[in-house]
Amino acid sequence: PQPPGDDEIAHLGRTLNAMLDRIEASFARERAFVDDASHELRTPLSILRAELELALVTLREGGDVTPAVTSALEEAERLSRLADDLLLLARSGARQLPLRRSAVDLAELARRVAARMATEGVRVRVEGRGVTAVVDESRIDQVLTNLVDNARRHARSTVVVHLGARNTGVEIIVADDGPGFPPELLPVVFDRFTRASPSRGRDDGGAGLGLSIVAALVQAHGGSVEARNEGLLGGAEVRVRLPR
């Protein structure tokens, strides 16, 4: 209980209570993270076990085990990706994420990502050239891949990646012509295990870590990231700012 008044003891009480509130909130976030991670791991593990059991039964009966083994391999790959994502977030939270910086042509990198992720029905367009920054190329490739993948899944027909130079840095904008982020999602869109409602886009079984990884990698580079609606194409838009 805080003592009345405004003396040093009252001030100390308020300071201690504020500190305890922050510690409690931190523990709550970590508990939620562990609970969510356990839930995400449980599903592919259950499927993997079921498919392997089915393969054993089929093998004893002399049947074709290819479908079961193929499905098991897909779930094993999903588990591997999830483990990598969780490790990246854990390292970034502990400020132990290594960066191998070099001068990178971001426009050229964006064009490679766009070509790699082009799909039938959704066009990925890159705007801007001659935009360079000293960054970890593989990590910024991951940022662009996650942003384009997220935009592509929710776009009606077009995704644009716009790159530009600013006074002391560079800006990357990834926008789509879809319905935009649900308003209630915008304040927490970069939180871990955050998913849009099914109406926003197609369900791909993702763990909801893509945008939180983007935020972690951008912050590791000393940059900032924000999300909003009514962007360049009228739908969702994510802006990344990096120091040059």
Side-chain angles (χ1 to χ4, degrees):
Q2 290 181 198
D6 196 32
D7 57 12
E8 291 182 358
I9 299 300
H11 179 70
L12 177 62
R14 287 193 294 271
T15 301
L16 286 173
N17 283 339
M19 180 189 69
L20 291 170
D21 286 342
R22 290 194 298 271
I23 292 173
E24 187 175 13
S26 177
F27 279 131
R29 285 194 300 270
E30 293 307 313
R31 283 195 298 269
F33 178 63
V34 172
D35 289 344
D36 288 337
S38 300
H39 175 76
E40 293 297 334
L41 289 166
R42 190 179 300 118
T43 299
L45 282 171
S46 298
I47 296 173
L48 181 61
R49 179 176 179 177
E51 293 291 356
L52 291 174
E53 290 174 346
L54 175 62
L56 284 174
V57 172
T58 306
L59 192 61
R60 292 193 198 103
E61 297 174 352
D64 183 12
V65 299
T66 302
V69 173
T70 300
S71 178
L73 179 59
E74 290 173 353
E75 293 304 319
E77 290 173 347
R78 181 181 170 189
L79 278 169
S80 179
R81 289 194 301 270
L82 181 56
D84 288 343
D85 290 346
L86 291 172
L87 180 60
L88 187 153
L89 290 171
R91 285 177 172 173
S92 66
R95 301 184 184 277
Q96 296 176 347
L97 188 64
L99 296 177
R100 297 177 177 86
R101 295 177 184 265
S102 62
V104 177
D105 185 333
L106 297 179
E108 176 59 29
L109 179 60
R111 282 191 286 271
R112 292 203 303 268
V113 171
R116 187 172 71 233
M117 304 193 69
T119 58
E120 185 177 350
V122 177
R123 184 168 60 109
V124 182
R125 186 174 78 242
V126 178
E127 299 175 348
R129 59 180 64 251
V131 180
T132 62
V134 178
V135 295
D136 186 318
E137 183 170 358
S138 65
R139 295 303 190 186
I140 298 303
D141 183 296
Q142 194 172 3
V143 167
L144 286 166
T145 298
N146 283 0
L147 289 178
V148 172
D149 180 56
N150 188 70
R152 182 188 60 179
R153 285 186 284 110
H154 303 129
R156 293 187 175 93
S157 63
T158 307
V159 172
V160 64
V161 181
H162 178 84
L163 300 107
R166 298 173 64 85
N167 292 336
T168 58
V170 297
E171 184 175 66
I172 304 170
I173 302 173
V174 179
D176 64 64
D177 61 352
F181 294 107
E184 69 277 7
L185 194 70
L186 276 174
V188 296
V189 72
F190 296 108
D191 289 358
R192 297 171 292 193
F193 299 106
T194 297
R195 292 185 181 89
S197 62
S199 61
R200 156 116 167 103
R202 297 171 286 278
D203 181 14
D204 67 342
L209 294 176
L211 291 181
S212 61
I213 287 173
V214 166
L217 292 176
V218 170
Q219 289 165 8
H221 280 83
S224 63
V225 60
E226 63 175 334
R228 66 176 189 171
N229 287 327
E230 300 180 4
L232 292 177
L233 298 180
E237 178 179 287
V238 177
R239 289 177 177 252
V240 172
R241 295 183 176 90
L242 297 169
R244 187 180 287 277

